[in-house]
Amino acid sequence: DAKTTQPTSMDCAEGRAANLPCNHSTISGNEYVYWYRQIHSQGPQYIIHGLKNNETNEMASLIITEDRKSSTLILPHATLRDTAVYYCIVRARSNDYKLSFGAGTTVTVRA
Amino acid sequence: DVKVTQSSRYLVKRTGEKVFLECVQDMDHENMFWYRQDPGLGLRLIYFSYDVKMKEKGDIPEGYSVSREKKERFSLILESASTNQTSMYLCASSAPLYSNQPQHFGDGTRLSIL
């Protein structure tokens, strides 16, 4: 899997958009970008994934640059419940069944 | 929504006991996984099952076994629990690998072996 780089931590004000960057400059053509988050003492929660087009669901939006070397997860209106560690992963879909998370970004949403 | 349910959130057992962790998913997923997560070591795959009665070892299978008798249920067994198996255990499920669909996790079982 391609390596990803994320900032260690970031703060966000409640009600504002949170923009979480991820660098994956060695991504290959068949690798997807996935985002998960893990709230303290809970299991990881899938957020969104994409290949090259921007994606949006009820939780977030995923913006992937045209060269696919980086992406941004956008939480449109952050709430205190969005405080968590956010993980960006790139994976090929073929035979790669093992997930591994890096250090992720610790996001703290402040009132 | 996908629902992966683990039988216990917290469990305390004694050294040498046989421990069963149960996981059920409601999305008819072919694949099911058991991971453990430890501070500084991240997520490590213990076992993976791609069909009923089928299993593959992950990175750290020693001291563990698994059972998948029904598609929706995947059990992790600690044959003789030891203190170094104190950890957070996470079950996940997914559609076939070629589908590019994500793995979905349960809430985890925090297991303490005394």
Side-chain angles (χ1 to χ4, degrees):
Chain A
D1 291 340
K3 181 179 168 55
T4 62
T5 304
Q6 299 176 251
T8 303
S9 64
M10 61 184 296
D11 284 1
C12 176
E14 189 178 22
R16 303 296 295 269
N19 296 298
L20 282 64
C22 180
N23 186 292
H24 32 79
S25 57
T26 59
I27 193 169
S28 58
N30 66 341
E31 288 184 312
Y32 283 70
V33 180
Y34 294 81
W35 283 84
Y36 284 81
R37 73 181 183 183
Q38 190 166 20
I39 297 168
H40 183 62
S41 294
Q42 295 184 19
Q45 179 186 22
Y46 163 74
I47 301 172
I48 199 167
H49 74 287
L51 182 63
K52 54 184 178 182
N53 297 321
N54 297 337
E55 303 286 345
T56 294
N57 63 21
E58 66 279 2
M59 288 183 68
S61 295
L62 174 61
I63 309 297
I64 302 174
T65 57
E66 194 167 341
D67 64 7
R68 304 208 323 121
K69 292 181 185 294
S70 67
S71 61
T72 301
L73 178 75
I74 301 172
L75 307 177
H77 305 287
T79 71
L80 299 179
R81 288 175 296 179
D82 292 321
T83 292
V85 181
Y86 287 77
Y87 299 101
C88 168
I89 306 164
V90 291
R91 296 177 67 230
R93 67 180 185 180
S94 54
N95 60 353
D96 183 15
Y97 54 83
K98 183 173 59 179
L99 273 188
S100 62
F101 294 154
T105 298
T106 299
V107 174
T108 303
V109 180
R110 302 193 186 279
Chain B
D1 278 354
V2 175
K3 186 71 173 174
V4 178
T5 303
Q6 295 185 229
S7 52
S8 305
R9 289 296 307 276
Y10 301 94
L11 206 54
V12 180
K13 295 291 182 182
R14 297 207 172 273
T15 304
E17 280 192 72
K18 191 168 186 176
V19 181
F20 295 85
L21 302 183
E22 307 287 343
C23 175
V24 177
Q25 50 96 2
D26 67 356
M27 283 301 292
D28 202 36
H29 281 163
E30 284 76 5
N31 300 326
M32 295 189 76
F33 309 81
W34 275 106
Y35 294 89
R36 63 179 282 179
Q37 187 176 33
D38 301 285
L41 297 176
L43 209 58
R44 292 182 290 169
L45 182 66
I46 304 171
Y47 268 99
F48 158 56
S49 170
Y50 53 91
D51 202 349
V52 174
K53 297 190 187 296
M54 307 305 291
K55 62 186 179 186
E56 282 194 17
K57 293 180 180 179
D59 295 326
I60 51 165
E62 297 78 19
Y64 303 95
S65 62
V66 290
S67 172
R68 193 160 179 208
E69 298 296 318
K70 294 185 177 182
K71 191 175 185 180
E72 68 271 18
R73 187 179 296 272
F74 192 34
S75 302
L76 179 71
I77 302 140
L78 285 66
E79 298 291 344
S80 177
S82 64
T83 54
N84 62 11
Q85 292 179 308
T86 291
S87 185
M88 169 75 116
Y89 288 87
L90 293 162
C91 176
S93 73
S94 77
L97 298 175
Y98 58 77
S99 70
N100 79 54
Q101 293 304 302
Q103 292 181 26
H104 293 271
F105 287 83
D107 280 337
T109 296
R110 191 165 292 281
L111 175 65
S112 296
I113 307 296
L114 305 179

